[in-house]
Amino acid sequence: MSETLLDVRGLTVAFPTHEGDVLAVSDLSYTLHRGETLGIVGESGSGKSVSSLALMGLLNQERTRISGEAMFGGRNLLSLSPEHMREIRGKDIAMIFQDPFACLHPMYRVGDQIAEAVTAHASVSKSKALDRAVELLDAVGIPKARDRAEGRLPSASCEYATRAAEIGPIDVINMRDNARLSATRARRPPVTTLRAAGAGRVCRRVAWRALQTGRQSIRAYAGSVRNSTKRSSSTISTRMAAASS
Amino acid sequence: MALYIARRILWAGVVILVVLMIVFAVFYLLPASDPALRFAGKSPTPESLALIRDRLGLDEPWWKQYGIFVKNFVTGDEYGWPGLGYSFTSNVSVLSEVTERAPRTLFLILGAAIIWLVVGVSIGVLSAVKRQSAADRAAMGFVLIGISSPVFWLGLMALWVFWKKLGWTAGTGYVPLTENPTGFLSHMILPWCVLALLFAAIYARMTRNSLLDTLGEDYIRTARAKGLSERTVIFRHGLRASMAPIITMFGMDIALLVGGAIITESVFNIQGLGWLAIDGTLNQDLPTVVGVVMLGAVAVVVMNLIVDIGYAFLDPRVRYE
């Protein structure tokens, strides 16, 4: 059995409103081992993104209530201080968001934005970081990476660029029907994929492979797990919980 | 970038010509009476009327008059550049009056602008970042007070408290910076603060709203997801994207104030451009009024040009449009 990378136990996310709490994720548990890919599938509002955002500490602390635990490298992600969480984000756990055009800052060059992720976690010079950014763009198959990184060519493949920016042991990849995605992909249901290190090259079909090959997937519905597939060596425990809303 | 700037400058030139055309029409063509009579001031003599007709080309067709008007303004007249004509009421060139008055207004605007930008933007950022906190509520209270206080009342109260009662500052009037720097500061500090308060309040609210909008954007979440510090996220990613409306407003506000921060100038007896315009109106000194109006209009165009160029530096997308 391979090393456990992420162990989520009883993750519950609620948004307090004037009319009571809205339960977005209810008692979600799963385990991710090194080298695995986990797909979380579900319709809109089923809590795929929210559960992943909660792990990343990217939900507004004041407007959400998060409980449960998520052990990562011996630490509980859900109780880490903002500063410790910041060190993990973008280095150990990265997230690739679903709308690449909205996810890149419109006023900075793509290269600088990727380089920023490099300098945030390592003391390297700006030019070194930019070189690394170009390398990453190259690695995900962007032609003329340097020209695009330095703003001489438009950064057409923004999605690849965001993907290049986020490289760590765990990538959370958000995919869903989106007007900007290709026609073939638009027919597929939305999915959030957690990809652990060593699960293969980052590619846009990762989530689909995961589902089709059935390595490991969770089907989410209204904040709870409906069912999960358990194949190969992975284990996943499922706790059913009725959505209260 | 160079192409963008060149195009903007060209456009500004065209707009200035149109603006001059409107000013010309308002003061030369639209009134029914003899223009020379109106330009001559309160006690016209046949000689001065003849002189004005000759100088302004009033016997020529209107488009020739406009030509003379534009040529004087653009290339200057015998009193220097830009040519604003001669005031027959005070018997000096309008340009010399303007150059005497302009520094007062410009110093007033400059000082106030620095204060309101620093105060307004910092309060706005603070209350956006600490949203719903006590600091945010206090800041929004300040905004309400700043927006609702009339400048003339605030100016008089400030004078009463800080000059009359406490004696901390000098009173009304103006001391040139070159003659007496401390006197200059002592005289200017109240007008600066009073003028800045209203604008600081508006800018604080605008910065807060704009920054809150920006902080909800997806690319801010991306910035956080990269593990950037909160300071970098807010100042580098958030503030830059939310500066556009503030820069637009800033350009317009400065330009409008050049045309006359009239109330502030009156309360503190600074006698700048606004005072010059009012004084000209009361004394039927039309050339002076025309001169100040033209400068005010040109200031609007020039500030717009600066704002447009500022945009291009701030947001690279603008350059490719």
Side-chain angles (χ1 to χ4, degrees):
Chain A
M1 179 133 166
S2 58
E3 178 199 351
T4 301
L5 208 56
L6 176 67
D7 191 23
V8 178
R9 292 286 145 232
L11 176 66
T12 300
V13 182
F15 300 113
T17 68
H18 291 298
E19 289 145 37
D21 287 6
V22 173
L23 208 56
V25 178
S26 164
D27 203 15
L28 172 72
S29 299
Y30 60 79
T31 310
L32 185 68
H33 298 101
R34 190 169 284 283
E36 274 182 357
T37 301
L38 167 71
I40 304 177
V41 194
E43 60 199 60
S44 294
S46 59
K48 312 176 296 295
S49 305
V50 169
S51 61
S52 308
L53 286 170
L55 296 184
M56 295 284 289
L58 287 174
L59 292 173
N60 187 324
Q61 303 281 338
E62 284 142 31
R63 277 180 278 168
T64 45
R65 282 219 312 277
I66 303 170
S67 58
E69 67 173 31
M71 298 307 291
F72 175 78
R75 295 192 287 183
N76 183 5
L77 293 177
L78 302 181
S79 61
L80 280 180
S81 70
E83 186 46 34
H84 282 122
M85 202 58 228
R86 189 190 70 72
E87 283 165 12
I88 291 179
R89 272 201 301 265
K91 181 163 159 261
D92 301 321
I93 306 181
M95 187 153 187
I96 294 157
F97 298 103
Q98 51 200 27
D99 184 350
F101 287 87
C103 288
L104 286 169
H105 199 291
M107 299 180 188
Y108 289 106
R109 294 179 298 201
V110 166
D112 291 338
Q113 294 192 50
I114 300 173
E116 218 177 13
V118 178
T119 48
H121 299 291
S123 49
V124 292
S125 70
K126 275 194 175 163
S127 64
K128 281 260 170 57
L130 192 65
D131 288 345
R132 175 74 184 135
V134 173
E135 257 174 61
L136 289 170
L137 283 170
D138 244 352
V140 291
I142 306 257
K144 296 181 185 148
R146 183 161 289 277
D147 285 339
R148 284 182 214 278
E150 293 173 5
R152 284 187 296 273
L153 279 174
S155 43
S157 299
C158 299
E159 187 177 4
Y160 280 115
T162 50
R163 212 154 277 191
E166 326 281 345
I167 291 197
I170 297 184
D171 296 329
V172 179
I173 304 169
N174 247 334
M175 290 183 181
R176 59 178 305 132
D177 307 53
N178 182 313
R180 294 216 169 90
L181 299 184
S182 64
T184 48
R185 210 138 57 87
R187 273 188 267 111
R188 299 158 172 173
V191 62
T192 293
T193 307
L194 286 122
R195 189 187 67 93
R201 187 183 153 82
V202 187
C203 90
R204 56 166 79 207
R205 284 174 212 90
V206 148
W208 284 97
R209 294 262 169 75
L211 289 178
Q212 283 155 358
T213 58
R215 265 185 281 185
Q216 194 184 12
S217 70
I218 298 174
R219 202 159 78 81
Y221 179 76
S224 332
V225 175
R226 258 301 152 81
N227 55 40
S228 65
T229 62
K230 194 176 96 178
R231 288 183 209 170
S232 73
S233 62
S234 59
T235 58
I236 185 153
S237 73
T238 309
R239 298 215 178 97
M240 299 293 292
S244 65
S245 53
Chain B
M1 190 70 178
L3 184 73
Y4 172 84
I5 293 176
R7 225 167 40 196
R8 287 284 125 197
I9 290 175
L10 198 69
W11 261 115
V14 172
V15 174
I16 284 179
L17 281 184
V18 174
V19 164
L20 288 181
M21 172 64 102
I22 293 169
V23 172
F24 172 77
V26 166
F27 289 105
Y28 284 69
L29 300 182
L30 293 182
S33 59
D34 180 9
L37 210 54
R38 278 178 287 112
F39 275 87
K42 274 177 178 166
S43 46
T45 58
E47 293 80 41
S48 67
L49 287 180
L51 189 68
I52 291 168
R53 284 213 179 82
D54 177 53
R55 197 194 293 272
L56 303 179
L58 293 179
D59 297 326
E60 308 279 352
W62 69 268
W63 50 269
K64 264 197 173 161
Q65 293 177 30
Y66 176 63
I68 295 171
F69 182 74
V70 171
K71 181 175 160 285
N72 277 344
F73 184 76
V74 174
T75 61
D77 56 13
E78 63 262 49
Y79 310 110
W81 185 88
L84 298 174
Y86 188 82
S87 163
F88 295 91
T89 311
S90 40
N91 285 319
V92 285
S93 71
V94 174
L95 185 65
S96 69
E97 286 193 297
V98 165
T99 41
E100 194 196 332
R101 300 293 167 192
R104 304 172 174 214
T105 298
L106 293 182
F107 275 128
L108 174 66
I109 298 173
L110 184 73
I114 292 171
I115 295 175
W116 93 56
L117 262 192
V118 171
V119 173
V121 171
S122 354
I123 289 181
V125 170
L126 185 80
S127 62
V129 173
K130 304 266 177 210
R131 194 181 166 188
Q132 309 286 358
S133 69
D136 181 23
R137 280 174 227 279
M140 288 306 106
F142 162 80
V143 166
L144 205 62
I145 292 170
I147 289 179
S148 3
S149 318
V151 171
F152 55 87
W153 176 81
L154 204 66
L156 290 175
M157 291 315 278
L159 279 173
W160 186 65
V161 172
F162 294 104
W163 175 38
K164 200 90 177 151
K165 289 282 160 193
L166 298 173
W168 289 357
T169 64
T172 55
Y174 177 80
V175 175
L177 176 65
T178 43
E179 279 174 26
N180 180 357
T182 26
F184 169 81
L185 280 179
S186 182
H187 274 97
M188 290 307 272
I189 188 78
L190 284 184
W192 280 342
C193 293
V194 166
L195 184 59
L197 183 74
L198 168 72
F199 289 102
I202 297 173
Y203 280 60
R205 190 158 69 179
M206 211 161 53
T207 307
R208 177 180 185 270
N209 292 348
S210 183
L211 188 56
L212 278 178
D213 271 357
T214 308
L215 289 181
E217 292 281 351
D218 285 354
Y219 51 80
I220 296 298
R221 194 181 53 185
T222 307
R224 289 211 173 96
K226 284 192 286 196
L228 303 181
S229 68
E230 200 57 21
R231 177 190 300 261
T232 313
V233 170
I234 285 165
F235 287 98
R236 206 172 125 79
H237 290 253
L239 203 55
R240 176 163 178 175
S242 49
M243 280 321 273
I246 293 156
I247 286 182
T248 312
M249 276 281 284
F250 187 65
M252 286 318 292
D253 286 338
I254 296 278
L256 290 176
L257 287 176
V258 169
I262 294 175
I263 300 174
T264 313
E265 285 183 12
S266 308
V267 171
F268 293 97
N269 193 24
I270 291 177
Q271 303 196 350
L273 288 177
W275 177 86
L276 191 63
I278 290 195
D279 197 52
T281 314
L282 296 178
N283 289 323
Q284 299 183 14
D285 183 4
L286 198 59
T288 305
V289 176
V290 176
V292 175
V293 168
M294 280 202 294
L295 283 184
V298 169
V300 172
V301 178
V302 170
M303 283 313 296
N304 263 321
L305 175 68
I306 293 174
V307 164
D308 280 345
I309 294 173
Y311 266 168
F313 278 102
L314 194 72
D315 187 350
R317 287 172 302 176
V318 172
R319 290 174 223 164
Y320 299 108
E321 271 168 16

